Amino acid sequence: MTEATGIVGEFLSLKEGTDADLLAMQCGDFYEFFAEDAETVADELDLKVSQKSSHGSSYPMAGVPLDDLTPYLSALVERGYRVAVADQYETADGHAREITRVVTPGTHLETSDDDAQYLAAVVREGGSGRGDSGGSDGDDATYGIAVADVTTGQFLVTEQSGADATSAALTELYKFDPAEVLPGPEVRSDDDFLDEIRERTDASLSLHTTEAFAPGRARHRVREQFGDETLESVGIADAEAAVRAAGAVVSYVDETGAGVLASMTRLQSFDESAYVDLDATTQRNLELTETMQGDRKGSLFDTVDHTVTSAGGRLLREWLQRPRRSRAELGRRQSAVAALAEAAMARDRLRETLGDAYDLERLASKAASGSADARDLRATQETLALLSAVGDLVADSERLADSPLAEVLDRPDREAAAELAADLDEALVEDPPGTVTQGGLIRPGFDPELDEIIDDHEAALDWIEHLPEREKERTGITHLSVDRNKTDGYYIQVGKSETDAVPEAYEQIKTLKNSERYVIDELAEKEREILRLEERRHELERQIFERLRDRVAARAEVLQETGRALAECDALASLAAHAVRNDWTRPELSDGRELVVEGGRHPVVEQTTQFVPNDLRMDDDRQFLIVTGPNMSGKSTYMRQAALITLLAQVGSFVPARSARVGLVDGIYTRVGALDELAQGRSTFMVEMQELSNILHSATDDSLVILDEVGRGTATYDGISIAWAASEYIVNNVAAKTLFATHYHELTVLGEELPSVQNVHVAAEERDGDVTFLRTVEDGPTDRSYGIHVADLAGVPDPVVDRSREVLDRLREEEAIEVRGSDGGSGTTQAVFDLSSGQFKTGGNGSSAGSEGASDAGPAADAGTGSGSEQLATDGSHAVEGSPADTGPTLDPEVAEVLDELRDLDVNETPPVELMAKVQDWQAELDEE
């Protein structure tokens, strides 16, 4: 194909000079895409493709109107594309174009989503990241992470180091859920780490220049952006990995042309030790911001979010994802919530007032980028003015005035906010147009020169308005009018019946069916004057507006501080409103290792069902609770509500309980079921064990651990062994507050042997075969799970349910079970569970009478007949063993004594540990024989 020239050639040349995926090039009143870009955009956005000829060749072309680029750009960026934008400008030879910005998922300002939109950079120094297994960290490494929200100007940095640094870094990225991640040079080659980022977030991975991550250059960019002393003041001067990540983010935002650097005024180092550790698994299991199905509805955030501003909702979401550990900070929030809860009328007025607030943090970024229009500045003025109104409202309420809410409103510079609001109000009309090129933005009286131009313009328009009357009187023509259109400009129109009376000075310009159009010298001159005045007015208004916008951008910090204060008021009022509506209570916070809840409820479940409250007491004497009870009885809900009450308390919220005393925790860890992740080569059991491993490595004696079944994904004895050992390890080595729900009733013996372990169970009542789940938690263990009852409720066919009950009854009576064949009963095999081997022993064909006869010998006796028996192991495998031992009258007295003890043993009442000990003793006695 011949090389393209003209517009297409210019497009392809510009595209070659950028690393963006797509290029939108301004061509007059449209942004056009050519060649492969046109086909891609047409497929993604359902645009029509036409053809553009260039030098004998034809190229696909698709375009969008100039003023409609933003929504199309947003759609492309949301799909992960990096889009370069080339704008047109005038030159002496005509038009030229240059790339003015590259819009990426992390630098797109025009987002319609109220949630934070983070751009992140991650750097690794030392170590090698993941170990060979992919399940634990390899060599010690230090990770630097920087996250910036270009829509609000928020900029945060941190470092993670030590043996668990890789897991910690991935957890941080999960918490922020960035739209785009810039991996540093050392991270780019770590496919496992990059795969983890893709798995845990929806982020696009973008390669930024290696030079941007260089220590010296990065340090220079950070100091240049935030000030020479910033690194020292926030305590990261020696945190080289964090500085490298921060410098790369600043460089990337600058090079993409987002234009928001002026809004990034404050660098913050977030110390993770100040926050409760919530790993990705825990956030998912507790459904903090979305359900297991990925929906916001039904999450904790959806339940407690009654905010009336987008910034308030964003802040509340952040609080839930990053609970605090500071009693002072949490006490301050609690006191504010308490005051708002008690002052109902003031709270309602506050929320009504805040409902008129716009998102000042995002408006600051738009002003800094030069994309804010007159309506954005008017929204800025109205919201800045609200600060004073909200402050007065709080001051007028005695209860609120004495609360920390007053301190929140004292943080912004009220004088500066009021001054900027007054200046904007003085300059802008009440309802400005949507674009800055239409005119009509500036109030009369604000600028004398503009006022003079407007007066002259109005005088010229007035001259034209009265021209028809003057001409009618002068010429005697009755059907004469003056009008204007884009084609002819201003003209005089005369009906055809009176064209003979038209003066010679009238110059005809168009003939219509029933009239003629004319122009006169005075009208043409007045039109030229009007056009000059309109052009001058629009240009002067644009200049005045841009000065206003620049002034707003220069006061970005005032906007951000005011926005954060109003958002905090909104979030606190939301928590108060929810607490009042749902009868929540203020929890008592302590530094002890306790969690005492009276009448606790699940904050989400109570919204949709009649909830049965439950008590919970955990302290040094009840550090580890083994929770047993029927399926579907509420064990999982009980444990999750304990975690959520703890989390809400460390958000500063009230909690769903009659009363609560919460010892502050450093982390909440959960293991609540697992889905197969076969695509990553991990089965359910592997995921379960990895989650358990993370808990055992990460939890401390100040943590809260929730274990909903451990070891269920493998064979019974393996599972019991793992659950048993993990329980002992948590009790003896970790000492975390732990709730452990299990169907392994054998574990309840730990409650009898270890002083800090206690058994609790969810009660159920059975009458005439019907089971009622009482939903109440009581002390002590249970020995039944009512699984068959749940199967019945789930609609399992009646024959299966009935047969299950029959098998269960025979197992409880330690009787042989007939293994039924497809012939309905003939040729069945008998099986008895052999307690000593942990296996089913099956015999040959027999009758039910033979089955019962076999059971008389006791569970350890061989139920088979003939020369040998077949064992059916619990995992379904088969093994053939030799002839059964002779248990006739010739038995050795010592052997007979063992059998007598076995017959007398009540298996149902003997704890598993004691039972296994007895079996070992019997084996030892028999070996001696």
Side-chain angles (χ1 to χ4, degrees):
M1 183 179 291
T2 307
E3 184 176 351
T5 59
I7 289 179
V8 177
E10 185 178 2
F11 176 91
L12 295 176
S13 177
L14 286 171
K15 177 68 184 297
E16 187 177 352
T18 177
D19 60 355
D21 303 311
L22 302 168
L23 171 63
M25 187 175 81
Q26 183 185 357
C27 300
D29 292 335
F30 282 81
Y31 279 101
E32 301 287 1
F33 301 85
F34 295 99
E36 294 180 357
D37 285 19
E39 294 176 337
T40 299
V41 170
D43 288 341
E44 292 285 358
L45 305 180
D46 196 25
L47 295 178
K48 182 179 179 180
V49 177
S50 57
Q51 298 294 317
K52 177 69 175 178
S53 297
S54 176
H55 207 73
S57 298
S58 182
Y59 295 86
M61 178 177 73
V64 298
L66 192 68
D67 293 336
D68 293 339
L69 177 64
T70 295
Y72 289 103
L73 203 58
S74 297
L76 291 170
V77 170
E78 287 172 1
R79 289 167 170 79
Y81 290 100
R82 292 163 46 87
V83 186
V85 178
D87 287 313
Q88 179 177 298
Y89 62 95
E90 302 294 327
T91 67
D93 300 325
H95 301 302
R97 299 167 184 88
E98 65 178 0
I99 294 177
T100 54
R101 56 191 167 127
V102 178
V103 185
T104 72
T107 61
H108 183 44
L109 282 173
E110 303 296 335
T111 176
S112 59
D113 193 345
D114 290 338
D115 294 337
Q117 177 183 283
Y118 289 112
L119 167 69
V122 56
V123 172
R124 183 172 67 226
E125 293 187 345
S128 57
R130 287 291 188 188
D132 294 338
S133 69
S136 60
D137 290 344
D139 298 336
D140 287 359
T142 296
Y143 287 86
I145 299 175
V147 289
D149 183 351
V150 299
T151 69
T152 65
Q154 186 180 29
F155 203 113
L156 305 169
V157 293
T158 190
E159 269 197 357
Q160 300 289 343
S161 59
D164 296 327
T166 303
S167 295
L170 288 167
T171 293
E172 286 308 312
L173 290 175
Y174 174 86
K175 288 179 183 177
F176 286 102
D177 191 20
E180 186 175 10
V181 173
L182 312 176
E186 306 87 353
V187 175
R188 294 174 191 170
S189 59
D190 189 342
D191 291 339
D192 289 340
F193 189 87
L194 297 179
D195 287 344
E196 290 270 16
I197 293 177
R198 294 187 184 97
E199 181 183 337
R200 297 190 186 205
T201 72
D202 295 324
S204 297
L205 297 179
S206 301
L207 298 182
H208 192 30
T209 59
T210 301
E211 293 78 12
F213 292 91
R217 180 172 177 177
R219 189 173 293 269
H220 173 73
R221 292 305 302 260
V222 173
R223 291 189 185 279
E224 184 179 52
Q225 177 66 29
F226 299 104
D228 291 340
E229 306 302 324
T230 300
L231 295 178
E232 287 76 14
S233 63
V234 298
I236 62 167
D238 298 325
E240 187 165 288
V243 174
R244 289 176 59 201
V249 169
V250 172
S251 168
Y252 189 75
V253 173
D254 188 22
E255 291 183 18
T256 54
V260 297
L261 287 181
S263 70
M264 295 180 175
T265 60
R266 185 171 62 159
L267 177 69
Q268 294 176 278
S269 173
F270 59 98
D271 179 8
E272 280 307 300
S273 64
Y275 299 93
V276 176
D277 188 14
L278 294 174
D279 59 22
T281 299
T282 297
Q283 293 202 46
R284 182 185 68 243
N285 288 339
L286 296 182
E287 298 182 306
L288 296 187
T289 58
E290 62 182 24
T291 65
M292 296 283 194
Q293 291 72 40
D295 300 324
R296 168 178 163 158
K297 186 173 179 57
S299 68
L300 178 65
F301 175 56
D302 176 65
T303 300
V304 302
D305 179 25
H306 305 288
T307 55
V308 294
T309 68
S310 57
R314 194 164 58 240
L315 180 61
L316 180 58
R317 180 190 182 101
E318 179 184 323
W319 284 357
L320 292 174
Q321 291 180 304
R322 302 181 70 207
R324 297 295 297 265
R325 295 174 60 186
S326 167
R327 284 186 66 187
E329 171 65 14
L330 296 176
R332 184 188 65 79
R333 289 184 192 173
Q334 282 188 344
S335 296
V337 172
L340 286 162
E342 294 172 13
M345 293 182 63
R347 181 185 70 246
D348 290 343
R349 288 197 302 271
L350 174 67
R351 300 182 72 229
E352 183 179 354
T353 303
L354 288 172
D356 295 327
Y358 294 89
D359 198 331
L360 277 180
E361 291 180 294
R362 287 192 166 172
L363 288 171
S365 288
K366 291 186 72 174
S369 70
S371 62
D373 58 27
R375 290 177 181 173
D376 291 326
L377 294 199
R378 172 52 74 179
T380 299
Q381 179 273 322
E382 292 173 357
T383 308
L384 287 172
L386 284 182
L387 179 62
S388 177
V390 172
D392 291 343
L393 193 155
V394 170
D396 290 342
S397 167
E398 183 178 350
R399 185 67 183 89
L400 298 185
D402 293 335
S403 77
L405 203 64
E407 301 171 14
V408 172
L409 294 170
D410 283 340
R411 292 176 195 159
D413 187 336
R414 285 205 204 180
E415 185 176 338
E419 180 183 347
L420 183 57
D423 289 347
L424 291 172
D425 188 43
E426 181 185 4
L428 296 170
V429 296
E430 194 70 32
D431 186 18
T435 68
V436 298
T437 58
Q438 294 179 0
L441 307 175
I442 307 302
R443 282 187 190 272
F446 180 76
D447 185 271
E449 182 182 358
L450 178 62
D451 289 344
E452 183 178 347
I453 292 172
I454 292 174
D455 289 343
D456 291 344
H457 182 259
E458 290 179 351
L461 292 176
D462 183 70
W463 185 89
I464 288 179
E465 184 180 353
H466 292 90
L467 179 62
E469 299 174 9
R470 294 195 301 271
E471 287 302 296
K472 286 178 181 179
E473 183 178 348
R474 185 172 71 87
T475 63
I477 299 173
T478 57
H479 295 89
L480 182 149
S481 61
V482 176
D483 211 340
R484 180 186 190 183
N485 62 32
K486 289 185 178 180
T487 304
D488 302 325
Y490 281 105
Y491 56 84
I492 298 173
Q493 187 160 308
V494 178
K496 279 198 172 181
S497 61
E498 296 183 276
T499 54
D500 293 342
V502 169
E504 293 183 4
Y506 278 39
E507 178 184 349
Q508 183 179 349
I509 60 173
K510 183 173 288 186
T511 299
L512 302 177
K513 182 178 180 181
N514 298 314
S515 62
E516 301 269 356
R517 288 181 180 173
Y518 304 89
V519 67
I520 59 177
D521 290 342
E522 296 90 340
L523 180 59
E525 177 60 32
K526 193 62 67 173
E527 179 180 12
R528 288 191 290 271
E529 179 185 353
I530 288 173
L531 291 175
R532 285 195 304 270
L533 289 169
E534 287 177 345
E535 182 179 357
R536 178 58 184 149
R537 175 183 179 176
H538 293 166
E539 175 63 20
L540 186 55
E541 282 202 344
R542 184 187 63 78
Q543 293 175 4
I544 294 171
F545 171 78
E546 289 181 352
R547 287 198 298 269
L548 283 173
R549 186 168 60 191
D550 290 344
R551 184 175 179 194
V552 171
R555 307 308 297 270
E557 193 165 2
V558 173
L559 269 64
Q560 291 165 345
E561 289 177 351
T562 302
R564 281 191 288 267
L566 296 178
E568 187 165 350
C569 290
D570 189 17
L572 292 168
S574 174
L575 292 175
H578 191 81
V580 171
R581 294 176 192 176
N582 295 275
D583 194 25
W584 285 16
T585 189
R586 178 176 182 170
E588 177 187 345
L589 303 178
S590 76
D591 293 323
R593 288 161 31 84
E594 59 190 341
L595 178 57
V596 181
V597 180
E598 293 184 5
R601 312 183 303 276
H602 191 290
V604 178
V605 178
E606 73 167 350
Q607 302 295 313
T608 57
T609 187
Q610 188 68 35
F611 199 87
V612 178
N614 274 298
D615 297 344
L616 170 65
R617 181 169 67 84
M618 302 186 75
D619 50 35
D620 289 336
D621 295 329
R622 292 168 63 90
Q623 167 224 322
F624 192 106
L625 298 185
I626 298 175
V627 186
T628 52
N631 289 293
M632 290 181 59
S633 62
K635 298 190 300 296
S636 295
T637 300
Y638 178 69
M639 296 194 303
R640 282 185 174 93
Q641 82 185 36
L644 291 174
I645 286 173
T646 300
L647 184 146
L648 285 166
Q650 295 197 221
V651 165
S653 170
F654 282 22
V655 299
R658 190 164 57 251
S659 68
R661 186 165 67 255
V662 180
L664 299 184
V665 300
D666 61 4
I668 300 175
Y669 303 93
T670 66
R671 207 227 71 73
V672 184
L675 299 175
D676 274 320
E677 298 185 24
L678 299 181
Q680 288 77 39
R682 299 186 296 178
S683 68
T684 298
F685 185 61
M686 173 60 78
V687 173
E688 177 183 342
M689 290 300 99
Q690 287 179 335
E691 292 176 356
L692 177 62
S693 173
N694 177 60
I695 291 172
L696 297 180
H697 282 294
S698 303
T700 73
D701 59 353
D702 286 329
S703 302
L704 175 64
V705 173
I706 304 297
L707 298 174
D708 193 354
E709 299 292 350
V710 168
R712 298 284 288 181
T714 186
T716 302
Y717 284 100
D718 281 352
I720 292 176
S721 302
I722 293 169
W724 190 292
S727 299
E728 287 181 340
Y729 186 85
I730 292 175
V731 172
N732 298 322
N733 297 80
V734 180
K737 291 196 294 287
T738 304
L739 289 104
F740 185 1
T742 183
H743 286 292
Y744 292 140
H745 300 136
E746 295 84 352
L747 296 182
T748 59
V749 72
L750 294 175
E752 301 171 11
E753 301 296 330
L754 297 174
S756 62
V757 179
Q758 299 293 327
N759 288 302
V760 297
H761 69 279
V762 184
E765 184 176 75
E766 185 174 8
R767 290 183 181 177
D768 301 326
D770 292 329
V771 179
T772 302
F773 297 147
L774 302 180
R775 312 290 184 187
T776 57
V777 177
E778 301 173 357
D779 281 347
T782 186
D783 61 353
R784 298 185 61 186
S785 296
Y786 297 98
I788 296 174
H789 176 69
V790 175
D792 192 14
L793 291 176
V796 173
D798 289 343
V800 176
V801 174
D802 293 341
R803 176 59 174 160
S804 298
R805 290 195 175 105
E806 181 182 340
V807 171
L808 180 61
D809 289 341
R810 298 190 73 84
L811 284 173
R812 285 174 174 169
E813 297 299 326
E814 299 174 19
E815 295 180 351
I817 304 168
E818 293 179 352
V819 182
R820 295 177 178 172
S822 59
D823 57 3
S826 62
T828 58
T829 303
Q830 299 171 3
V832 173
F833 188 73
D834 182 1
L835 204 64
S836 64
S837 65
Q839 297 173 324
F840 278 104
K841 287 188 175 181
T842 63
N845 294 342
S847 65
S848 61
S851 170
E852 292 174 3
S855 71
D856 290 340
D862 187 359
T865 59
S867 60
S869 66
E870 182 184 44
Q871 292 181 336
L872 177 65
T874 55
D875 62 1
S877 62
H878 293 74
V880 177
E881 64 180 14
S883 300
D886 184 3
T887 59
T890 58
L891 281 177
D892 184 277
E894 299 290 339
V895 176
E897 183 179 347
V898 170
L899 290 176
D900 289 338
E901 290 181 20
L902 179 57
R903 290 188 183 98
D904 294 336
L905 181 67
D906 188 340
V907 177
N908 290 327
E909 296 298 326
T910 306
V913 174
E914 184 180 335
L915 188 61
M916 287 187 281
K918 286 183 177 294
V919 171
Q920 290 173 348
D921 290 342
W922 293 333
Q923 288 176 336
E925 291 181 27
L926 294 174
D927 288 342
E928 291 176 1
E929 293 300 313

